[in-house]
Amino acid sequence: MAVELSRDPYVPTTGTLPAHASLEEALAWVERQRQRHSEGTGFSFAIADTGTSRCVGQMGLWTRELTKGRAQAGYAVIPRERGRRIAARALLALLKFAWTIPELHRVELYIEPWNAASVRTADRAGFQREGLLRSHQEIAGVRRDMLLYATIRDRAV
Ligand SMILES: CC(C)(COP(=O)(O)OP(=O)(O)OC[C@H]1O[C@@H](n2cnc3c(N)ncnc32)[C@H](O)[C@@H]1OP(=O)(O)O)[C@@H](O)C(=O)NCCC(=O)NCCS
C-alpha cells in the first residue's frame, strides 16, 4: 500500500512518504506511522477492504491540539482502489473512534480547493465547510490556500 501511495503525484508532497519509495523507504514510513501514538501526535490507521482484508489506504487522526479539544484528519486511498467512496466510509469509521476520546470536540480537515474527491469525501462524511484559509501552508514549495472543513461532537452520528 505504501509503495503504491508513494507513486501518487500528490500524496508524497503532503507528508513524509518519499515519492516512488523503495520497499525499505515504504516500510520505514509504516514504522513512523506506528510511532505516532507513542510520541503523542495521533493515530495512524490502515484502511482495509473488509471483503479481502487487503490494505487500500491510510487515514490519520492527528492530536497535537487535543488539549484544546481539536484534532485533524487526513486520508489517502491507493490510486487503483479509488472510485468506490472508500475514504468517506473510512472517515465515518474514524469519527466513531474519535468521539470515544473524551477531550475531543472538533475534527478538522484541510483540503486544497482543487481536490474535488476530498471535498466530496468531507461532504459525504458530514463535515461542514467553514471557510477558505488563504496562503495557509506550503506544499511542494508553493503557498497553498486550504478549505477548512470541520465536524463537531454534537453533530456526531
Ligand atoms: C481523496 C481520496 C482519498 C478519495 O478517494 P475515494 O474514497 O476513492 O474517492 P472517490 O474516487 O470514490 O471519489 C469520491 C467522490 O469524489 C468525486 N470525484 C472524484 N474525483 C473527482 C474529480 N476529479 N472531479 C470531481 N469529482 C471527483 C467522485 O465522483 C465521488 O463523488 P460522489 O461521492 O458524489 O459519487 C483519493 O482521491 C486520494 O487518495 N487522493 C490523494 C490524497 C488526497 O488528496 N487526500 C486528501 C487530502 S485533503
Side-chain angles (χ1 to χ4, degrees), residues 119-136:
V119 163
R120 289 293 302 137
T121 296
D123 287 339
R124 198 164 280 283
F127 283 70
Q128 284 193 12
R129 184 183 298 203
E130 296 188 338
L132 179 70
L133 306 171
R134 293 174 301 153
S135 191
H136 183 258

Side-chain angles (χ1 to χ4, degrees), residues 75-77 82-87 110 115-118 120 124:
Y75 39 80
V77 169
R82 291 177 192 166
R84 293 190 287 140
R85 301 175 180 162
I86 287 173
Y110 290 80
N115 198 342
S118 188
R120 289 293 302 137
R124 198 164 280 283

Side-chain angles (χ1 to χ4, degrees), residues 55-145:
C55 183
V56 296
Q58 186 253 353
M59 181 160 280
L61 183 71
W62 311 121
T63 55
R64 288 183 186 85
E65 294 188 319
L66 189 55
T67 56
K68 294 173 180 161
R70 298 193 290 264
Q72 291 77 40
Y75 39 80
V77 169
I78 56 176
R80 70 188 160 91
E81 297 286 352
R82 291 177 192 166
R84 293 190 287 140
R85 301 175 180 162
I86 287 173
R89 283 181 280 152
L91 190 52
L92 286 167
L94 184 85
L95 287 177
K96 276 193 185 164
F97 165 75
W99 301 133
T100 67
I101 303 171
E103 305 94 312
L104 188 60
H105 294 274
R106 174 181 164 87
V107 178
E108 301 173 337
L109 303 172
Y110 290 80
I111 304 175
E112 290 198 61
W114 58 261
N115 198 342
S118 188
V119 163
R120 289 293 302 137
T121 296
D123 287 339
R124 198 164 280 283
F127 283 70
Q128 284 193 12
R129 184 183 298 203
E130 296 188 338
L132 179 70
L133 306 171
R134 293 174 301 153
S135 191
H136 183 258
Q137 66 199 72
E138 191 173 307
I139 296 176
V142 178
R143 296 299 304 179
R144 308 286 177 116
D145 297 345

